[in-house]
Amino acid sequence: MRRFLLASLMVSPLLICSTFTHADDAASSTPIVATEHTAHFENDNILPPIHPWSGASETLLLSADQPWITPFEQNGYVSSPNYHDTVQWLNKLVDSSDVLQLVSIGKSPQGRDIWMIVASQDGASTAQALSDNGKATVLVQAGIHAGEIDGKDAGMMLLRDISHNHKRELLENVNLLFIPIFSVDAHERSSKFNRVNQRGPVNMGWRTTAKNLNLNRDYAKADALEMQHLIRTINIWQPDLYIDVHVTDGIDYQYDVTFGYNVAQGYSPSIFKWLETIYRPEVEQALTEQGHIPGPLVFANDNTDMSKGISLWNPSPRFSNGYGDARHLPTILIENHSLKPYKQRVLGTYVMLEQTLKTVAQNSTKLKSAINEDKYRNPSKLTLSWENQTLAQGRDFKGIDYRIEQSPISGDKVVRWTGEPKLYKNLPLVANTKPIVTVTRPVAYYIPSQWADVIDRLALHGIRMTRLNQVTTVTAQQYQFNEPMFSSADYEGHQTVTANTTIHKVTTDLPAGTVRILTDQPLGDLAMLLLEPQAEDSLFYWGFFNPIFTRTEYIEDYAVEPLAAKMLQENPGLQAEFNLALKNPDFAKDSEARLRWFYERSPYYDNQYMKYPVLRVSK
């Protein structure tokens, strides 16, 4: 089939699959067909023991003599193809199919196309054509962390089977968008020494982008070019369900496929209900029938002591599932267990993706209704941050037994996982679902035009806005900050900041060009979470407004001292305030603080210093 926005394929000297030759020679080489029994990973001897696995999903694998065998299958289920060979195989598949199209969503910083497969029964190649068929659309993304690449090989197998192995009926009532490699540059920073905690594939990509940004910390601030392409893709193609495929780290347990999504207390309660009551039971049943052990996405409260229980996760919008919750896009985070063999993880992902298409096809009306309910809830109050609480009901956990030993290397205790299954009954369950900071919903925000980078970032997310075409007087609320605390080290390319806030009523004239953002819109909750400074992933937190903390005008001591005397003479009430301030002994003995006290109350002081330039209007 025709490929869209097709650019020259990039050739990388780095190989993901150790049994492939250099990309330049791929066309003339014959890949070595390994058997699973020859699999050996560089880190095998330092990882916990595992039991051999066999499941019904192994019937999904093709033998070496089949024409549409994937590179993963061809090479003994232990390796994954590099970028060149992945795209070459997908090009061949798309050319052979009337239901697949290949679209570039944009180029990476190093110039590689980020490809997306569009799978629909009518062969749609544009977002409009896909929308016109009236079916729900599922977006699956693999390789946001390029070493965690299970989803790529699972998706290639599934697309193959849809096109050539009698699974075309999966597209009868649903569309599929599939991004095989999201972090394409990191995918090519490949080595057998990446991802030390993970059992395969042989060579793995890098966790962060070529600019060392973690894409799964970037959804809210959207710094990375790759993330900007993805957010535009979401806005243009409007998927109804979004799946982000990862491989987890941490403790050992029996589950091979865990997955999670927003919690009931989050911003999309109707979506949560659909995912929890319709989606999860069907997917877990399919995985179990195929020999896998599915489970909820959980983390140990203490990796060395399982009796302390496990925790759920209510993520902020910097993460994929937190971002989906904020913008009311049902988003599922798959975390395959890193200690399970690569073949087992890939097949589990395949089963989950196939059942996802079936479940969405059969329940798309209820899914779309849930999305619309959350998009137009517009609650009068919104929680900006949360803290942990122990839930009333605990949870059984299918774990692995362990022992604690004293390490002669570290001098501390170390966990030794035995590989033996163990059921932990009714473990305490902790979740960050107790509100800390909640604010009322404003009618609108006003942003001065000079904060163009903030305005551009909000527009990228798809938040609707207008500009004032004339000077407009408004009575609004304005945050003022004190005691700002800046991060001592760089975090994801930013110096983050938090501060104490007070809010004040102001009446001011806003110039033409000021941006107005109404919160009564589908992405109104997301706008609030990006613009309310106390929110965990606000643009304020990420440092987009840090220039307001820079003082640029000063007054000399020789000028402020006579100014203070004049102010006291003209304002007797000021003397009482000053006397009260002097009761603080630290203030009383600090001559600079005493002079600054007067300067801050003088008409010469910068009246915009540490004031939030974004105004909120409540009515």
Side-chain angles (χ1 to χ4, degrees):
M1 296 298 296
R2 200 156 49 98
R3 284 168 297 283
F4 296 82
L5 304 180
L6 182 61
S8 299
L9 295 177
M10 300 297 297
V11 177
S12 170
L14 296 174
L15 296 179
I16 292 295
C17 173
S18 62
T19 58
F20 270 56
T21 61
H22 191 280
D24 291 337
D25 303 320
S28 60
S29 65
T30 301
I32 300 170
V33 179
T35 65
E36 186 184 5
H37 302 293
T38 65
H40 173 72
F41 301 113
E42 185 69 31
N43 52 351
D44 271 348
N45 60 347
I46 63 174
L47 295 181
I50 58 170
H51 289 286
W53 174 84
S54 181
S57 61
E58 289 176 293
T59 60
L60 298 168
L61 298 165
L62 293 188
S63 60
D65 60 346
Q66 297 298 308
W68 283 106
I69 187 172
T70 66
F72 158 73
E73 295 164 304
Q74 192 174 24
N75 288 278
Y77 325 125
V78 298
S79 61
S80 188
N82 66 0
Y83 176 88
H84 174 276
D85 294 329
T86 298
V87 176
Q88 185 180 61
W89 190 92
L90 287 170
N91 277 332
K92 180 181 175 182
L93 181 68
V94 169
D95 283 340
S96 71
S97 174
D98 63 346
V99 298
L100 304 182
Q101 305 286 356
L102 191 61
V103 175
S104 172
I105 68 171
K107 287 187 179 293
S108 72
Q110 291 184 341
R112 296 179 177 89
D113 281 293
I114 303 172
W115 293 108
M116 181 173 74
I117 309 297
V118 183
S120 66
Q121 197 171 49
D122 48 359
S125 60
T126 66
Q128 185 60 56
L130 207 68
S131 176
D132 288 346
N133 70 30
K135 302 173 186 177
T137 296
V138 175
L139 170 60
V140 177
Q141 164 194 288
I144 188 172
H145 294 151
E148 306 167 28
I149 203 62
D150 307 13
K152 178 188 74 176
D153 290 305
M156 291 168 72
M157 290 175 60
L158 180 59
L159 290 172
R160 178 267 314 283
D161 292 342
I162 288 173
S163 295
H164 296 296
N165 283 353
H166 313 295
K167 290 191 177 181
R168 182 171 178 146
E169 71 276 3
L170 289 173
L171 299 180
E172 285 183 3
N173 293 299
V174 68
N175 307 308
L176 173 62
L177 304 173
F178 176 60
I179 300 174
I181 311 169
F182 179 25
S183 189
V184 289
D185 296 340
H187 186 276
E188 297 308 276
R189 184 180 171 182
S190 174
S191 170
K192 63 182 180 180
F193 296 109
N194 295 346
R195 301 284 301 170
V196 65
N197 305 309
Q198 184 174 305
R199 214 169 232 118
V202 172
N203 282 27
M204 292 171 272
W206 196 247
R207 181 175 178 81
T208 52
T209 70
K211 295 182 68 174
N212 205 34
L213 293 176
N214 187 334
L215 290 175
N216 203 30
R217 307 294 184 272
D218 195 41
Y219 282 85
K221 60 184 177 64
D223 285 333
L225 183 60
E226 297 95 329
M227 183 57 66
Q228 293 171 11
H229 292 325
L230 177 68
I231 291 174
R232 291 189 188 98
T233 298
I234 290 173
N235 287 329
I236 292 169
W237 292 84
Q238 290 291 306
D240 301 287
L241 185 71
Y242 174 33
I243 294 181
D244 180 21
V245 187
H246 289 250
V247 180
T248 192
D249 297 314
I251 62 173
D252 200 359
Y253 45 67
Q254 298 173 50
Y255 310 104
D256 55 354
V257 180
T258 68
F259 61 97
Y261 33 78
N262 65 295
V263 296
Q265 296 86 347
Y267 307 113
S268 301
S270 297
I271 289 171
F272 168 81
K273 183 178 179 181
W274 186 91
L275 290 168
E276 189 75 358
T277 62
I278 295 176
Y279 181 84
R280 180 174 288 280
E282 293 189 6
V283 169
E284 289 193 339
Q285 180 180 348
L287 283 163
T288 301
E289 289 175 351
Q290 292 294 313
H292 297 274
I293 305 178
L297 179 62
V298 292
F299 306 90
N301 292 322
D302 183 342
N303 286 1
T304 67
D305 187 355
M306 290 304 299
S307 68
K308 293 183 180 179
I310 52 181
S311 64
L312 299 179
W313 185 33
N314 181 17
S316 66
R318 76 185 64 171
F319 303 98
S320 61
N321 45 333
Y323 182 69
D325 186 27
R327 68 174 293 149
H328 316 303
L329 168 60
T331 301
I332 297 162
L333 177 68
I334 297 177
E335 287 279 7
N336 293 328
H337 190 215
S338 60
L339 295 177
K340 300 299 185 288
Y342 190 55
K343 181 181 80 169
Q344 181 179 354
R345 302 195 324 255
V346 170
L347 292 178
T349 307
Y350 180 111
V351 172
M352 185 166 178
L353 298 184
E354 180 179 14
Q355 184 58 47
T356 295
L357 295 180
K358 294 177 181 177
T359 298
V360 171
Q362 294 167 1
N363 300 278
S364 61
T365 300
K366 291 182 179 179
L367 174 60
K368 288 176 179 287
S369 295
I371 294 170
N372 285 330
E373 286 173 12
D374 288 332
K375 277 185 175 181
Y376 297 103
R377 281 177 66 236
N378 295 328
S380 59
K381 293 185 176 181
L382 199 74
T383 298
L384 303 180
S385 60
W386 315 77
E387 66 182 1
N388 282 337
Q389 58 182 343
T390 301
L391 304 184
Q393 181 63 49
R395 178 176 291 173
D396 292 348
F397 184 72
K398 295 179 180 179
I400 297 292
D401 201 4
Y402 65 95
R403 64 182 183 272
I404 301 294
E405 297 180 355
Q406 190 72 23
S407 169
I409 304 297
S410 69
D412 201 355
K413 294 178 180 180
V414 63
V415 174
R416 305 291 189 201
W417 303 101
T418 68
E420 296 301 320
K422 179 177 179 179
L423 179 64
Y424 296 88
K425 297 286 290 184
N426 197 32
L427 287 179
L429 189 59
V430 175
N432 57 324
T433 50
K434 183 179 179 181
I436 302 175
V437 179
T438 300
V439 296
T440 58
R441 189 182 201 88
V443 172
Y445 294 98
Y446 288 89
I447 308 175
S449 60
Q450 63 266 29
W451 296 96
D453 53 345
V454 172
I455 295 166
D456 290 345
R457 209 58 56 98
L458 296 168
L460 171 71
H461 286 292
I463 294 169
R464 299 171 185 169
M465 59 186 72
T466 57
R467 289 187 183 268
L468 300 181
N469 55 20
Q470 61 184 14
V471 175
T472 302
T473 303
V474 299
T475 299
Q477 295 172 312
Q478 184 177 36
Y479 289 106
Q480 187 164 343
F481 305 113
N482 59 74
E483 299 182 6
M485 295 189 63
F486 299 91
S487 57
S488 58
D490 174 272
Y491 178 53
E492 292 296 319
H494 287 259
Q495 184 182 32
T496 60
V497 62
T498 58
N500 294 330
T501 63
T502 56
I503 196 163
H504 304 272
K505 183 178 179 180
V506 297
T507 299
T508 187
D509 292 335
L510 299 177
T514 299
V515 165
R516 181 175 187 241
I517 295 176
L518 296 175
T519 63
D520 183 12
Q521 60 168 296
L523 295 181
D525 289 353
L526 179 60
M528 290 184 66
L529 293 170
L530 293 174
L531 290 175
E532 288 292 330
Q534 297 177 83
E536 294 182 29
D537 274 319
S538 68
L539 297 180
F540 170 84
Y541 166 80
W542 283 110
F544 282 74
F545 293 97
N546 279 5
I548 68 173
F549 295 106
T550 301
R551 289 184 59 184
T552 56
E553 290 289 354
Y554 301 87
I555 187 170
E556 300 292 345
D557 292 354
Y558 63 76
V560 71
E561 198 278 335
L563 174 65
K566 183 173 183 291
M567 291 168 65
L568 288 171
Q569 183 180 16
E570 294 176 350
N571 186 356
L574 191 64
Q575 182 69 64
E577 292 181 39
F578 185 52
N579 291 339
L580 183 63
L582 288 172
K583 291 183 178 181
N584 182 327
D586 292 333
F587 175 78
K589 66 183 180 182
D590 188 338
S591 60
E592 290 188 3
R594 292 170 64 155
L595 292 176
R596 187 168 60 249
W597 190 91
F598 284 97
Y599 175 46
E600 290 174 353
R601 285 157 178 77
S602 77
Y604 296 98
Y605 187 71
D606 179 5
N607 63 7
Q608 296 302 313
Y609 179 53
M610 290 207 293
K611 290 182 179 179
Y612 195 39
V614 179
L615 302 182
R616 63 194 319 270
V617 175
S618 296
K619 56 183 176 179

